[in-house]
Amino acid sequence: MIKETGTVISVEPGALWVQTSQKSACQSCPSEKGCGQGTLSKKTTAETTVRALLRDGDESSFRPGDSVEIGVPEGLLVSATLLLYLLPLLTLLVGIVVAQTWSGSDSATALGALVGLLFGGCLVRFNSYRQRNNPGVHPVVLEKKLRNLSHGG
């Protein structure tokens, strides 16, 4: 299980909206001082908002500003990454092969690649829409941390 700590920004029946900040691994890298990525990561902070399901469905003990730990199964992350990147790439290649076989011209091959890529993106989007209510593909709240007093609590 991949775990992340975040702050509750909204509470809804059976779920919480949690904001997390992406951390850089630059602090543990020996090349931190001479790397442009390390400098860039110090200047920017990327925040992500996710909907995390409650295991027991009881949202009454959570309030905006609370700190919680959420988790995502590792296998889910791997399969989602493969779907997101590999499926459009495969449909792009199929589009290239079909266009090359059908026409043989460079412009038709480029168009086939574009159509294949867009089709793969549509398949990913359709799968995401189909899975939107599947509790097995959503992050879950693992535990409530101490109340974050900096948010007026």
Side-chain angles (χ1 to χ4, degrees), residues 6-26:
T7 304
V8 176
I9 58 171
S10 178
V11 180
E12 65 180 44
L16 304 174
W17 284 93
V18 179
Q19 186 173 51
T20 63
S21 295
Q22 292 180 347
K23 297 173 189 72
S24 170
C26 292

Side-chain angles (χ1 to χ4, degrees), residues 36 88 128 130:
S128 175
R130 197 175 53 120

Side-chain angles (χ1 to χ4, degrees), residues 39-67:
T39 304
L40 183 62
S41 69
K42 289 177 185 174
K43 303 281 187 213
T44 62
T45 57
E47 294 183 339
T48 305
T49 303
V50 296
R51 182 175 181 262
L53 302 178
L54 294 167
R55 288 182 170 175
D56 59 6
D58 181 25
E59 67 278 349
S60 62
S61 62
F62 295 95
R63 291 187 174 69
D66 286 347
S67 183

Side-chain angles (χ1 to χ4, degrees), residues 60-135:
S60 62
S61 62
F62 295 95
R63 291 187 174 69
D66 286 347
S67 183
V68 295
E69 185 176 69
I70 60 175
V72 177
E74 291 174 13
L76 175 64
L77 190 61
V78 170
S79 61
T81 302
L82 285 174
L83 178 74
L84 181 66
Y85 291 105
L86 197 57
L87 184 62
L89 181 62
L90 289 175
T91 56
L92 177 137
L93 293 173
V94 168
I96 289 172
V97 170
V98 168
Q100 186 68 32
T101 304
W102 175 67
S103 171
S105 72
D106 289 344
S107 58
T109 304
L111 183 62
L114 181 63
V115 169
L117 181 65
L118 292 175
F119 181 69
C122 289
L123 288 176
V124 170
R125 176 76 175 172
F126 174 73
N127 185 63
S128 175
Y129 179 77
R130 197 175 53 120
Q131 298 289 333
R132 74 189 182 285
N133 292 323
N134 181 354

